[in-house]
Amino acid sequence: VQPLLLLVAGATAFRWWNGPSRALRVTLLAFAALSISSFVSNYPHTLTFFNRFAGGPSNGLRYLADSNLDWGQGLKNLRLWMAERGVNHINLAYFGQADPEYYGIRCTYLPARSAFADRVRSRPVLPGFVAISATTLSGTYLPPEWRAFYEQFRTRTPVASIGHSILVYWVESWPDPVARVSPGDAEAIAVERALADGLLF
């Protein structure tokens, strides 16, 4: 579908540019300038680019996950963010294959879809910063109980967005899961609470 839409958009732009109306040419230039400025403002985080009509890069999590948005590319920038602010430790729910220790990130691993993190995850050090990969926050690949575990953070405003692929929150104490309606979700919350009790307390 996308290549066909690009052809239609290109043909429309060509007609507008070569048509008799000066207003259409000005409109075309305005759209082009808006598109270019949006892209440049997000550079070099090109993977997480979403145009302003989609809500911009900060809303990419509403539409996509995994290699379309976040496949672990934010670790270097997370380390830079920590160094700039003197943060020596972070609680990390990371989606990706790279080992954070390789980049000098001292962290406590929280449940996420990472082979190395699953073996060493433990309760978070709180109060403290919690960094959650966008894919983890979306719930993609997580069982229902862990989706409920992170659900509260989807309505919180992060203190930092690392390339729009890792969101950082300051957490005093771990939030309770969001109340759900369906019986399946209620069961997931019960399981989540049992798991959280074991992990957090």
Side-chain angles (χ1 to χ4, degrees), residues 102-125:
Y102 176 82
Y103 297 100
I105 296 174
R106 185 169 163 264
C107 62
T108 296
Y109 293 109
L110 301 179
R113 186 65 179 239
S114 298
F116 57 85
D118 286 344
R119 295 192 300 269
V120 293
R121 67 187 180 203
S122 60
R123 60 185 180 184
V125 178

Side-chain angles (χ1 to χ4, degrees), residues 1 12 14 28 47 62 108 126 144 147 150 159 164 166 177 197:
V1 172
T12 303
F14 182 79
L28 181 62
L47 182 62
R62 294 174 53 194
T108 296
L126 299 177
R147 284 200 293 272
Y150 293 113
V159 297
H164 303 288
I166 297 178
D197 286 346

